[in-house]
Amino acid sequence: EAQVTQNPRYLITVTGKKLTVTCSQNMNHEYMSWYRQDPGLGLRQIYYSMNVEVTDKGDVPEGYKVSRKEKRNFPLILESPSPNQTSLYFCASSPLVGAEAFFGQGTRLTVV
Amino acid sequence: AQTVTQSQPEMSVQEAETVTLSCTYDTSENNYYLFWYKQPPSRQMILVIRQEAYKQQNATENRFSVNFQKAAKSFSLKISDSQLGDTAMYFCAFMKPRGKGSEKLVFGKGTKLTVNP
């Protein structure tokens, strides 16, 4: 089954404790992206990757890191999480620009 | 920069009736892509419909259709014969076809639709 898999789905952590949210897709898509969803703000792009070893900042990259060492994986790293990073996070992939974006199930992160 | 505006934070409709969700956008591009995504309580983001700006014909997918008015920069979603399973948050989104900004979907803030029995 074609899918984007995120883990974990729920995470509660404390301020400053490094964490990684994993994202994996099995569709051989070149393009992957991370978004955060906040009430009243819709979804905003954090980082994106056009291919292996090619990543760039989106609209809200502060406090986040990503890597793309393999085509299928695109982890999101929070080196020192803060409460303002409490949000719902989505990973997405697509085969090319303008095509349907396939989203993961979302990760609900709470930083206390 | 492109912006997407959904002016209806919440809407409700009776089962089997028709409802229209509004979306306007701002861009200087001539060609682009527009999308409607559905997010049910499960949180999953599901593509409802996709429109390419250079195509005059409005996109349709079963009970879902759009009214694309390029000159007015309007992209409304019509849901016919509403069903309880249509209850969800609906997001309108924009994407450039090339160049800087083509790597992301620009989302509106969403419209929460409730279908009542």
Side-chain angles (χ1 to χ4, degrees), chain A residues 9-10 31 35 37 40 42-43 45 48 59 90 97-98 100-101 103 105-106, chain B residues 33 37 39 43-44 47 50 91 95-97 102-105 107-109:
Chain A
R9 292 204 64 189
Y10 299 90
Y31 173 66
Y35 293 85
Q37 180 182 353
L43 285 82
Q45 190 188 55
Y48 66 94
D59 293 324
F90 285 99
V97 172
E100 175 182 357
F103 285 81
Q105 316 96 305
Chain B
Y33 303 100
Y37 279 89
Q39 186 180 47
R43 301 187 330 213
Q44 184 68 44
L47 178 68
R50 174 179 176 268
F91 291 99
M95 177 180 277
K96 288 176 58 176
S102 65
E103 68 287 341
K104 68 180 178 185
L105 286 160
F107 286 89
K109 296 180 179 181

PDB file of all heavy atoms in Angstrom, chain A residues 9-10 31 35 37 40 42-43 45 48 59 90 97-98 100-101 103 105-106, chain B residues 33 37 39 43-44 47 50 91 95-97 102-105 107-109:
ATOM      1  N   ARG A   9       2.919   9.032  16.672  1.00  0.00           N
ATOM      2  CA  ARG A   9       1.688   9.789  16.397  1.00  0.00           C
ATOM      3  C   ARG A   9       1.409  10.793  17.509  1.00  0.00           C
ATOM      4  O   ARG A   9       0.782  11.818  17.264  1.00  0.00           O
ATOM      5  CB  ARG A   9       0.517   8.843  16.231  1.00  0.00           C
ATOM      6  CG  ARG A   9       0.635   7.991  14.981  1.00  0.00           C
ATOM      7  CD  ARG A   9      -0.705   7.514  14.509  1.00  0.00           C
ATOM      8  NE  ARG A   9      -1.559   8.636  14.098  1.00  0.00           N
ATOM      9  CZ  ARG A   9      -2.846   8.513  13.800  1.00  0.00           C
ATOM     10  NH1 ARG A   9      -3.448   7.339  13.896  1.00  0.00           N
ATOM     11  NH2 ARG A   9      -3.560   9.559  13.416  1.00  0.00           N
ATOM     12  N   TYR A  10       1.836  10.469  18.684  1.00  0.00           N
ATOM     13  CA  TYR A  10       1.673  11.369  19.818  1.00  0.00           C
ATOM     14  C   TYR A  10       2.988  11.403  20.597  1.00  0.00           C
ATOM     15  O   TYR A  10       3.631  10.374  20.765  1.00  0.00           O
ATOM     16  CB  TYR A  10       0.557  10.908  20.757  1.00  0.00           C
ATOM     17  CG  TYR A  10      -0.803  10.847  20.120  1.00  0.00           C
ATOM     18  CD1 TYR A  10      -1.251   9.684  19.507  1.00  0.00           C
ATOM     19  CD2 TYR A  10      -1.654  11.945  20.133  1.00  0.00           C
ATOM     20  CE1 TYR A  10      -2.504   9.625  18.909  1.00  0.00           C
ATOM     21  CE2 TYR A  10      -2.901  11.900  19.547  1.00  0.00           C
ATOM     22  CZ  TYR A  10      -3.320  10.738  18.939  1.00  0.00           C
ATOM     23  OH  TYR A  10      -4.557  10.679  18.353  1.00  0.00           O
ATOM     24  N   TYR A  31      10.185  14.391  -3.904  1.00  0.00           N
ATOM     25  CA  TYR A  31       9.903  15.585  -3.138  1.00  0.00           C
ATOM     26  C   TYR A  31       9.247  15.230  -1.802  1.00  0.00           C
ATOM     27  O   TYR A  31       8.243  14.518  -1.748  1.00  0.00           O
ATOM     28  CB  TYR A  31       8.999  16.507  -3.957  1.00  0.00           C
ATOM     29  CG  TYR A  31       8.513  17.690  -3.195  1.00  0.00           C
ATOM     30  CD1 TYR A  31       9.414  18.655  -2.769  1.00  0.00           C
ATOM     31  CD2 TYR A  31       7.173  17.845  -2.893  1.00  0.00           C
ATOM     32  CE1 TYR A  31       8.982  19.742  -2.045  1.00  0.00           C
ATOM     33  CE2 TYR A  31       6.734  18.924  -2.164  1.00  0.00           C
ATOM     34  CZ  TYR A  31       7.641  19.873  -1.742  1.00  0.00           C
ATOM     35  OH  TYR A  31       7.219  20.946  -1.026  1.00  0.00           O
ATOM     36  N   TYR A  35       5.240  20.047   7.429  1.00  0.00           N
ATOM     37  CA  TYR A  35       4.351  21.158   7.742  1.00  0.00           C
ATOM     38  C   TYR A  35       3.972  21.082   9.221  1.00  0.00           C
ATOM     39  O   TYR A  35       3.946  20.003   9.810  1.00  0.00           O
ATOM     40  CB  TYR A  35       3.057  21.076   6.922  1.00  0.00           C
ATOM     41  CG  TYR A  35       3.221  21.289   5.439  1.00  0.00           C
ATOM     42  CD1 TYR A  35       3.566  20.247   4.593  1.00  0.00           C
ATOM     43  CD2 TYR A  35       3.019  22.549   4.878  1.00  0.00           C
ATOM     44  CE1 TYR A  35       3.703  20.446   3.226  1.00  0.00           C
ATOM     45  CE2 TYR A  35       3.156  22.758   3.516  1.00  0.00           C
ATOM     46  CZ  TYR A  35       3.490  21.695   2.700  1.00  0.00           C
ATOM     47  OH  TYR A  35       3.630  21.893   1.340  1.00  0.00           O
ATOM     48  N   GLN A  37       0.725  22.377  11.745  1.00  0.00           N
ATOM     49  CA  GLN A  37      -0.647  22.882  11.707  1.00  0.00           C
ATOM     50  C   GLN A  37      -1.004  23.436  13.072  1.00  0.00           C
ATOM     51  O   GLN A  37      -0.910  22.738  14.085  1.00  0.00           O
ATOM     52  CB  GLN A  37      -1.633  21.765  11.340  1.00  0.00           C
ATOM     53  CG  GLN A  37      -3.084  22.235  11.279  1.00  0.00           C
ATOM     54  CD  GLN A  37      -4.048  21.120  10.956  1.00  0.00           C
ATOM     55  OE1 GLN A  37      -3.662  19.994  10.653  1.00  0.00           O
ATOM     56  NE2 GLN A  37      -5.343  21.418  10.998  1.00  0.00           N
ATOM     57  N   GLY A  40      -6.263  28.099  13.585  1.00  0.00           N
ATOM     58  CA  GLY A  40      -6.401  29.442  13.045  1.00  0.00           C
ATOM     59  C   GLY A  40      -5.309  29.868  12.087  1.00  0.00           C
ATOM     60  O   GLY A  40      -5.354  30.977  11.550  1.00  0.00           O
ATOM     61  N   GLY A  42      -3.842  27.358   9.751  1.00  0.00           N
ATOM     62  CA  GLY A  42      -3.696  26.397   8.665  1.00  0.00           C
ATOM     63  C   GLY A  42      -2.391  25.634   8.786  1.00  0.00           C
ATOM     64  O   GLY A  42      -1.846  25.466   9.874  1.00  0.00           O
ATOM     65  N   LEU A  43      -1.876  25.160   7.655  1.00  0.00           N
ATOM     66  CA  LEU A  43      -0.606  24.439   7.633  1.00  0.00           C
ATOM     67  C   LEU A  43       0.464  25.339   7.044  1.00  0.00           C
ATOM     68  O   LEU A  43       0.227  26.028   6.043  1.00  0.00           O
ATOM     69  CB  LEU A  43      -0.715  23.174   6.782  1.00  0.00           C
ATOM     70  CG  LEU A  43      -1.462  21.993   7.387  1.00  0.00           C
ATOM     71  CD1 LEU A  43      -2.963  22.147   7.227  1.00  0.00           C
ATOM     72  CD2 LEU A  43      -0.995  20.694   6.726  1.00  0.00           C
ATOM     73  N   GLN A  45       4.706  25.427   5.932  1.00  0.00           N
ATOM     74  CA  GLN A  45       5.837  24.566   5.614  1.00  0.00           C
ATOM     75  C   GLN A  45       7.040  24.893   6.489  1.00  0.00           C
ATOM     76  O   GLN A  45       7.427  26.059   6.650  1.00  0.00           O
ATOM     77  CB  GLN A  45       6.210  24.712   4.143  1.00  0.00           C
ATOM     78  CG  GLN A  45       7.215  23.675   3.667  1.00  0.00           C
ATOM     79  CD  GLN A  45       7.702  23.949   2.269  1.00  0.00           C
ATOM     80  OE1 GLN A  45       8.192  25.031   1.967  1.00  0.00           O
ATOM     81  NE2 GLN A  45       7.566  22.975   1.385  1.00  0.00           N
ATOM     82  N   TYR A  48      11.714  21.505   3.334  1.00  0.00           N
ATOM     83  CA  TYR A  48      11.403  20.617   2.229  1.00  0.00           C
ATOM     84  C   TYR A  48      12.693  20.045   1.644  1.00  0.00           C
ATOM     85  O   TYR A  48      13.793  20.554   1.897  1.00  0.00           O
ATOM     86  CB  TYR A  48      10.590  21.328   1.146  1.00  0.00           C
ATOM     87  CG  TYR A  48      11.321  22.428   0.413  1.00  0.00           C
ATOM     88  CD1 TYR A  48      11.979  22.182  -0.792  1.00  0.00           C
ATOM     89  CD2 TYR A  48      11.346  23.720   0.919  1.00  0.00           C
ATOM     90  CE1 TYR A  48      12.643  23.196  -1.465  1.00  0.00           C
ATOM     91  CE2 TYR A  48      12.004  24.736   0.247  1.00  0.00           C
ATOM     92  CZ  TYR A  48      12.647  24.474  -0.932  1.00  0.00           C
ATOM     93  OH  TYR A  48      13.292  25.481  -1.600  1.00  0.00           O
ATOM     94  N   ASP A  59       8.727  28.166   5.370  1.00  0.00           N
ATOM     95  CA  ASP A  59       8.304  29.447   5.945  1.00  0.00           C
ATOM     96  C   ASP A  59       8.597  29.582   7.436  1.00  0.00           C
ATOM     97  O   ASP A  59       8.740  30.695   7.938  1.00  0.00           O
ATOM     98  CB  ASP A  59       6.801  29.633   5.708  1.00  0.00           C
ATOM     99  CG  ASP A  59       6.479  29.807   4.236  1.00  0.00           C
ATOM    100  OD1 ASP A  59       7.296  30.444   3.530  1.00  0.00           O
ATOM    101  OD2 ASP A  59       5.424  29.321   3.793  1.00  0.00           O
ATOM    102  N   PHE A  90       2.929  17.373  10.090  1.00  0.00           N
ATOM    103  CA  PHE A  90       2.666  16.482   8.961  1.00  0.00           C
ATOM    104  C   PHE A  90       3.877  16.401   8.054  1.00  0.00           C
ATOM    105  O   PHE A  90       4.485  17.414   7.705  1.00  0.00           O
ATOM    106  CB  PHE A  90       1.486  16.985   8.126  1.00  0.00           C
ATOM    107  CG  PHE A  90       0.152  16.756   8.758  1.00  0.00           C
ATOM    108  CD1 PHE A  90      -0.477  17.787   9.444  1.00  0.00           C
ATOM    109  CD2 PHE A  90      -0.470  15.528   8.671  1.00  0.00           C
ATOM    110  CE1 PHE A  90      -1.706  17.587  10.035  1.00  0.00           C
ATOM    111  CE2 PHE A  90      -1.713  15.325   9.255  1.00  0.00           C
ATOM    112  CZ  PHE A  90      -2.328  16.354   9.948  1.00  0.00           C
ATOM    113  N   VAL A  97       6.302  18.569  -8.650  1.00  0.00           N
ATOM    114  CA  VAL A  97       5.574  19.791  -8.323  1.00  0.00           C
ATOM    115  C   VAL A  97       4.211  19.779  -8.988  1.00  0.00           C
ATOM    116  O   VAL A  97       4.082  19.413 -10.156  1.00  0.00           O
ATOM    117  CB  VAL A  97       6.377  21.016  -8.775  1.00  0.00           C
ATOM    118  CG1 VAL A  97       5.544  22.294  -8.633  1.00  0.00           C
ATOM    119  CG2 VAL A  97       7.660  21.136  -7.978  1.00  0.00           C
ATOM    120  N   GLY A  98       3.185  20.173  -8.231  1.00  0.00           N
ATOM    121  CA  GLY A  98       1.840  20.263  -8.771  1.00  0.00           C
ATOM    122  C   GLY A  98       1.041  18.980  -8.679  1.00  0.00           C
ATOM    123  O   GLY A  98      -0.175  18.981  -8.876  1.00  0.00           O
ATOM    124  N   GLU A 100      -0.454  15.524  -6.674  1.00  0.00           N
ATOM    125  CA  GLU A 100      -1.059  15.300  -5.368  1.00  0.00           C
ATOM    126  C   GLU A 100       0.019  15.059  -4.333  1.00  0.00           C
ATOM    127  O   GLU A 100       0.961  14.293  -4.559  1.00  0.00           O
ATOM    128  CB  GLU A 100      -1.981  14.089  -5.422  1.00  0.00           C
ATOM    129  CG  GLU A 100      -2.573  13.706  -4.071  1.00  0.00           C
ATOM    130  CD  GLU A 100      -3.438  12.472  -4.142  1.00  0.00           C
ATOM    131  OE1 GLU A 100      -3.628  11.942  -5.250  1.00  0.00           O
ATOM    132  OE2 GLU A 100      -3.923  12.043  -3.080  1.00  0.00           O
ATOM    133  N   ALA A 101      -0.115  15.715  -3.194  1.00  0.00           N
ATOM    134  CA  ALA A 101       0.776  15.480  -2.065  1.00  0.00           C
ATOM    135  C   ALA A 101       0.140  14.423  -1.168  1.00  0.00           C
ATOM    136  O   ALA A 101      -1.040  14.506  -0.832  1.00  0.00           O
ATOM    137  CB  ALA A 101       1.011  16.770  -1.288  1.00  0.00           C
ATOM    138  N   PHE A 103       0.060  12.730   2.463  1.00  0.00           N
ATOM    139  CA  PHE A 103       0.402  13.130   3.818  1.00  0.00           C
ATOM    140  C   PHE A 103       0.477  11.932   4.756  1.00  0.00           C
ATOM    141  O   PHE A 103      -0.267  10.949   4.598  1.00  0.00           O
ATOM    142  CB  PHE A 103      -0.645  14.106   4.354  1.00  0.00           C
ATOM    143  CG  PHE A 103      -0.533  15.499   3.793  1.00  0.00           C
ATOM    144  CD1 PHE A 103      -1.059  15.809   2.550  1.00  0.00           C
ATOM    145  CD2 PHE A 103       0.114  16.495   4.502  1.00  0.00           C
ATOM    146  CE1 PHE A 103      -0.952  17.087   2.020  1.00  0.00           C
ATOM    147  CE2 PHE A 103       0.232  17.779   3.987  1.00  0.00           C
ATOM    148  CZ  PHE A 103      -0.298  18.072   2.748  1.00  0.00           C
ATOM    149  N   GLN A 105       0.140  10.482   8.792  1.00  0.00           N
ATOM    150  CA  GLN A 105      -1.017  10.501   9.689  1.00  0.00           C
ATOM    151  C   GLN A 105      -0.959  11.660  10.688  1.00  0.00           C
ATOM    152  O   GLN A 105      -1.915  11.894  11.409  1.00  0.00           O
ATOM    153  CB  GLN A 105      -1.101   9.192  10.474  1.00  0.00           C
ATOM    154  CG  GLN A 105      -0.865   7.943   9.636  1.00  0.00           C
ATOM    155  CD  GLN A 105       0.578   7.488   9.734  1.00  0.00           C
ATOM    156  OE1 GLN A 105       1.508   8.252   9.460  1.00  0.00           O
ATOM    157  NE2 GLN A 105       0.794   6.246  10.119  1.00  0.00           N
ATOM    158  N   GLY A 106       0.146  12.346  10.741  1.00  0.00           N
ATOM    159  CA  GLY A 106       0.293  13.462  11.668  1.00  0.00           C
ATOM    160  C   GLY A 106       0.915  13.033  12.988  1.00  0.00           C
ATOM    161  O   GLY A 106       0.725  11.901  13.444  1.00  0.00           O
TER     162      GLY A 106
ATOM    163  N   TYR B  33      -1.545  25.724  -9.520  1.00  0.00           N
ATOM    164  CA  TYR B  33      -2.427  24.626  -9.152  1.00  0.00           C
ATOM    165  C   TYR B  33      -3.207  25.016  -7.896  1.00  0.00           C
ATOM    166  O   TYR B  33      -2.684  25.676  -7.007  1.00  0.00           O
ATOM    167  CB  TYR B  33      -1.616  23.356  -8.861  1.00  0.00           C
ATOM    168  CG  TYR B  33      -0.738  22.912  -9.996  1.00  0.00           C
ATOM    169  CD1 TYR B  33       0.624  23.203  -9.990  1.00  0.00           C
ATOM    170  CD2 TYR B  33      -1.257  22.199 -11.074  1.00  0.00           C
ATOM    171  CE1 TYR B  33       1.445  22.797 -11.031  1.00  0.00           C
ATOM    172  CE2 TYR B  33      -0.441  21.787 -12.121  1.00  0.00           C
ATOM    173  CZ  TYR B  33       0.912  22.096 -12.094  1.00  0.00           C
ATOM    174  OH  TYR B  33       1.714  21.700 -13.123  1.00  0.00           O
ATOM    175  N   TYR B  37      -8.258  20.113   0.286  1.00  0.00           N
ATOM    176  CA  TYR B  37      -7.940  18.968   1.125  1.00  0.00           C
ATOM    177  C   TYR B  37      -8.983  18.873   2.235  1.00  0.00           C
ATOM    178  O   TYR B  37      -9.443  19.873   2.773  1.00  0.00           O
ATOM    179  CB  TYR B  37      -6.547  19.096   1.754  1.00  0.00           C
ATOM    180  CG  TYR B  37      -5.424  18.693   0.844  1.00  0.00           C
ATOM    181  CD1 TYR B  37      -4.830  19.620  -0.007  1.00  0.00           C
ATOM    182  CD2 TYR B  37      -4.950  17.383   0.828  1.00  0.00           C
ATOM    183  CE1 TYR B  37      -3.794  19.254  -0.852  1.00  0.00           C
ATOM    184  CE2 TYR B  37      -3.906  17.012  -0.013  1.00  0.00           C
ATOM    185  CZ  TYR B  37      -3.344  17.950  -0.856  1.00  0.00           C
ATOM    186  OH  TYR B  37      -2.323  17.584  -1.689  1.00  0.00           O
ATOM    187  N   GLN B  39      -9.766  17.220   6.052  1.00  0.00           N
ATOM    188  CA  GLN B  39      -9.145  16.659   7.248  1.00  0.00           C
ATOM    189  C   GLN B  39     -10.247  16.248   8.221  1.00  0.00           C
ATOM    190  O   GLN B  39     -10.743  17.050   8.996  1.00  0.00           O
ATOM    191  CB  GLN B  39      -8.206  17.672   7.911  1.00  0.00           C
ATOM    192  CG  GLN B  39      -7.423  17.080   9.076  1.00  0.00           C
ATOM    193  CD  GLN B  39      -6.498  18.090   9.739  1.00  0.00           C
ATOM    194  OE1 GLN B  39      -6.893  19.214  10.029  1.00  0.00           O
ATOM    195  NE2 GLN B  39      -5.264  17.681   9.958  1.00  0.00           N
ATOM    196  N   ARG B  43      -7.577  13.218  11.538  1.00  0.00           N
ATOM    197  CA  ARG B  43      -6.440  14.115  11.239  1.00  0.00           C
ATOM    198  C   ARG B  43      -5.797  13.857   9.880  1.00  0.00           C
ATOM    199  O   ARG B  43      -4.959  14.644   9.450  1.00  0.00           O
ATOM    200  CB  ARG B  43      -5.334  14.020  12.305  1.00  0.00           C
ATOM    201  CG  ARG B  43      -5.740  14.358  13.682  1.00  0.00           C
ATOM    202  CD  ARG B  43      -4.573  14.399  14.644  1.00  0.00           C
ATOM    203  NE  ARG B  43      -3.469  13.521  14.349  1.00  0.00           N
ATOM    204  CZ  ARG B  43      -2.714  12.949  15.280  1.00  0.00           C
ATOM    205  NH1 ARG B  43      -2.980  13.154  16.551  1.00  0.00           N
ATOM    206  NH2 ARG B  43      -1.697  12.180  14.942  1.00  0.00           N
ATOM    207  N   GLN B  44      -6.138  12.766   9.245  1.00  0.00           N
ATOM    208  CA  GLN B  44      -5.536  12.469   7.950  1.00  0.00           C
ATOM    209  C   GLN B  44      -5.877  13.555   6.940  1.00  0.00           C
ATOM    210  O   GLN B  44      -6.998  14.017   6.869  1.00  0.00           O
ATOM    211  CB  GLN B  44      -6.035  11.119   7.440  1.00  0.00           C
ATOM    212  CG  GLN B  44      -5.406  10.670   6.146  1.00  0.00           C
ATOM    213  CD  GLN B  44      -3.936  10.332   6.286  1.00  0.00           C
ATOM    214  OE1 GLN B  44      -3.532   9.682   7.237  1.00  0.00           O
ATOM    215  NE2 GLN B  44      -3.123  10.772   5.350  1.00  0.00           N
ATOM    216  N   LEU B  47      -6.752  14.458  -0.219  1.00  0.00           N
ATOM    217  CA  LEU B  47      -7.027  15.315  -1.371  1.00  0.00           C
ATOM    218  C   LEU B  47      -8.451  15.094  -1.851  1.00  0.00           C
ATOM    219  O   LEU B  47      -8.861  13.970  -2.105  1.00  0.00           O
ATOM    220  CB  LEU B  47      -6.044  15.008  -2.503  1.00  0.00           C
ATOM    221  CG  LEU B  47      -6.264  15.819  -3.785  1.00  0.00           C
ATOM    222  CD1 LEU B  47      -5.944  17.289  -3.538  1.00  0.00           C
ATOM    223  CD2 LEU B  47      -5.418  15.266  -4.919  1.00  0.00           C
ATOM    224  N   ARG B  50      -8.414  18.711  -7.369  1.00  0.00           N
ATOM    225  CA  ARG B  50      -7.254  19.468  -7.861  1.00  0.00           C
ATOM    226  C   ARG B  50      -7.636  20.169  -9.157  1.00  0.00           C
ATOM    227  O   ARG B  50      -8.320  19.582 -10.005  1.00  0.00           O
ATOM    228  CB  ARG B  50      -6.095  18.510  -8.095  1.00  0.00           C
ATOM    229  CG  ARG B  50      -4.857  19.090  -8.749  1.00  0.00           C
ATOM    230  CD  ARG B  50      -3.803  17.990  -8.884  1.00  0.00           C
ATOM    231  NE  ARG B  50      -2.610  18.425  -9.591  1.00  0.00           N
ATOM    232  CZ  ARG B  50      -2.443  18.302 -10.903  1.00  0.00           C
ATOM    233  NH1 ARG B  50      -3.387  17.773 -11.640  1.00  0.00           N
ATOM    234  NH2 ARG B  50      -1.312  18.705 -11.466  1.00  0.00           N
ATOM    235  N   PHE B  91      -9.428  22.455   3.746  1.00  0.00           N
ATOM    236  CA  PHE B  91      -8.386  23.433   3.463  1.00  0.00           C
ATOM    237  C   PHE B  91      -8.266  23.656   1.965  1.00  0.00           C
ATOM    238  O   PHE B  91      -8.182  22.702   1.189  1.00  0.00           O
ATOM    239  CB  PHE B  91      -7.037  22.955   3.986  1.00  0.00           C
ATOM    240  CG  PHE B  91      -6.923  22.924   5.478  1.00  0.00           C
ATOM    241  CD1 PHE B  91      -7.092  21.739   6.169  1.00  0.00           C
ATOM    242  CD2 PHE B  91      -6.636  24.080   6.192  1.00  0.00           C
ATOM    243  CE1 PHE B  91      -6.979  21.700   7.549  1.00  0.00           C
ATOM    244  CE2 PHE B  91      -6.529  24.045   7.576  1.00  0.00           C
ATOM    245  CZ  PHE B  91      -6.698  22.848   8.251  1.00  0.00           C
ATOM    246  N   MET B  95      -0.444  26.210  -5.232  1.00  0.00           N
ATOM    247  CA  MET B  95       0.947  25.856  -5.503  1.00  0.00           C
ATOM    248  C   MET B  95       1.387  26.459  -6.832  1.00  0.00           C
ATOM    249  O   MET B  95       0.657  26.388  -7.831  1.00  0.00           O
ATOM    250  CB  MET B  95       1.131  24.340  -5.539  1.00  0.00           C
ATOM    251  CG  MET B  95       2.550  23.904  -5.881  1.00  0.00           C
ATOM    252  SD  MET B  95       2.749  22.126  -5.921  1.00  0.00           S
ATOM    253  CE  MET B  95       2.976  21.789  -4.186  1.00  0.00           C
ATOM    254  N   LYS B  96       2.577  27.036  -6.849  1.00  0.00           N
ATOM    255  CA  LYS B  96       3.153  27.526  -8.094  1.00  0.00           C
ATOM    256  C   LYS B  96       3.686  26.349  -8.895  1.00  0.00           C
ATOM    257  O   LYS B  96       4.139  25.366  -8.318  1.00  0.00           O
ATOM    258  CB  LYS B  96       4.291  28.493  -7.792  1.00  0.00           C
ATOM    259  CG  LYS B  96       3.862  29.826  -7.257  1.00  0.00           C
ATOM    260  CD  LYS B  96       5.073  30.681  -6.888  1.00  0.00           C
ATOM    261  CE  LYS B  96       6.007  30.927  -8.046  1.00  0.00           C
ATOM    262  NZ  LYS B  96       7.121  31.830  -7.681  1.00  0.00           N
ATOM    263  N   PRO B  97       3.726  26.453 -10.205  1.00  0.00           N
ATOM    264  CA  PRO B  97       4.218  25.334 -11.025  1.00  0.00           C
ATOM    265  C   PRO B  97       5.729  25.276 -11.144  1.00  0.00           C
ATOM    266  O   PRO B  97       6.286  24.230 -11.443  1.00  0.00           O
ATOM    267  CB  PRO B  97       3.584  25.600 -12.391  1.00  0.00           C
ATOM    268  CG  PRO B  97       3.446  27.086 -12.445  1.00  0.00           C
ATOM    269  CD  PRO B  97       3.160  27.526 -11.031  1.00  0.00           C
ATOM    270  N   SER B 102       7.517  26.997  -5.612  1.00  0.00           N
ATOM    271  CA  SER B 102       6.847  25.851  -6.210  1.00  0.00           C
ATOM    272  C   SER B 102       7.009  24.592  -5.377  1.00  0.00           C
ATOM    273  O   SER B 102       6.404  23.568  -5.670  1.00  0.00           O
ATOM    274  CB  SER B 102       7.383  25.594  -7.625  1.00  0.00           C
ATOM    275  OG  SER B 102       8.747  25.223  -7.579  1.00  0.00           O
ATOM    276  N   GLU B 103       7.824  24.687  -4.332  1.00  0.00           N
ATOM    277  CA  GLU B 103       8.086  23.517  -3.519  1.00  0.00           C
ATOM    278  C   GLU B 103       7.099  23.373  -2.373  1.00  0.00           C
ATOM    279  O   GLU B 103       7.213  22.446  -1.575  1.00  0.00           O
ATOM    280  CB  GLU B 103       9.510  23.596  -2.944  1.00  0.00           C
ATOM    281  CG  GLU B 103       9.736  24.684  -1.903  1.00  0.00           C
ATOM    282  CD  GLU B 103       9.790  26.103  -2.475  1.00  0.00           C
ATOM    283  OE1 GLU B 103      10.020  26.238  -3.703  1.00  0.00           O
ATOM    284  OE2 GLU B 103       9.601  27.051  -1.706  1.00  0.00           O
ATOM    285  N   LYS B 104       6.126  24.275  -2.263  1.00  0.00           N
ATOM    286  CA  LYS B 104       5.240  24.185  -1.115  1.00  0.00           C
ATOM    287  C   LYS B 104       3.787  24.438  -1.502  1.00  0.00           C
ATOM    288  O   LYS B 104       3.477  25.109  -2.488  1.00  0.00           O
ATOM    289  CB  LYS B 104       5.643  25.198  -0.046  1.00  0.00           C
ATOM    290  CG  LYS B 104       5.416  26.644  -0.473  1.00  0.00           C
ATOM    291  CD  LYS B 104       5.845  27.606   0.626  1.00  0.00           C
ATOM    292  CE  LYS B 104       5.665  29.047   0.175  1.00  0.00           C
ATOM    293  NZ  LYS B 104       6.183  29.989   1.181  1.00  0.00           N
ATOM    294  N   LEU B 105       2.919  23.872  -0.684  1.00  0.00           N
ATOM    295  CA  LEU B 105       1.504  24.214  -0.718  1.00  0.00           C
ATOM    296  C   LEU B 105       1.292  25.389   0.234  1.00  0.00           C
ATOM    297  O   LEU B 105       1.764  25.360   1.370  1.00  0.00           O
ATOM    298  CB  LEU B 105       0.666  23.023  -0.249  1.00  0.00           C
ATOM    299  CG  LEU B 105       0.542  21.847  -1.229  1.00  0.00           C
ATOM    300  CD1 LEU B 105       0.132  20.588  -0.481  1.00  0.00           C
ATOM    301  CD2 LEU B 105      -0.466  22.180  -2.313  1.00  0.00           C
ATOM    302  N   PHE B 107      -1.511  27.113   2.268  1.00  0.00           N
ATOM    303  CA  PHE B 107      -2.840  26.751   2.747  1.00  0.00           C
ATOM    304  C   PHE B 107      -3.612  27.952   3.278  1.00  0.00           C
ATOM    305  O   PHE B 107      -3.031  28.888   3.841  1.00  0.00           O
ATOM    306  CB  PHE B 107      -2.728  25.721   3.880  1.00  0.00           C
ATOM    307  CG  PHE B 107      -2.351  24.343   3.446  1.00  0.00           C
ATOM    308  CD1 PHE B 107      -1.028  23.956   3.349  1.00  0.00           C
ATOM    309  CD2 PHE B 107      -3.339  23.414   3.134  1.00  0.00           C
ATOM    310  CE1 PHE B 107      -0.687  22.672   2.955  1.00  0.00           C
ATOM    311  CE2 PHE B 107      -3.009  22.130   2.741  1.00  0.00           C
ATOM    312  CZ  PHE B 107      -1.681  21.764   2.653  1.00  0.00           C
ATOM    313  N   GLY B 108      -4.933  27.866   3.143  1.00  0.00           N
ATOM    314  CA  GLY B 108      -5.797  28.768   3.879  1.00  0.00           C
ATOM    315  C   GLY B 108      -5.932  28.278   5.315  1.00  0.00           C
ATOM    316  O   GLY B 108      -5.381  27.238   5.689  1.00  0.00           O
ATOM    317  N   LYS B 109      -6.689  29.028   6.122  1.00  0.00           N
ATOM    318  CA  LYS B 109      -6.807  28.687   7.532  1.00  0.00           C
ATOM    319  C   LYS B 109      -7.819  27.595   7.795  1.00  0.00           C
ATOM    320  O   LYS B 109      -7.891  27.074   8.909  1.00  0.00           O
ATOM    321  CB  LYS B 109      -7.150  29.935   8.341  1.00  0.00           C
ATOM    322  CG  LYS B 109      -6.045  30.987   8.307  1.00  0.00           C
ATOM    323  CD  LYS B 109      -6.400  32.211   9.099  1.00  0.00           C
ATOM    324  CE  LYS B 109      -5.254  33.219   9.048  1.00  0.00           C
ATOM    325  NZ  LYS B 109      -5.536  34.446   9.828  1.00  0.00           N
TER     326      LYS B 109
END
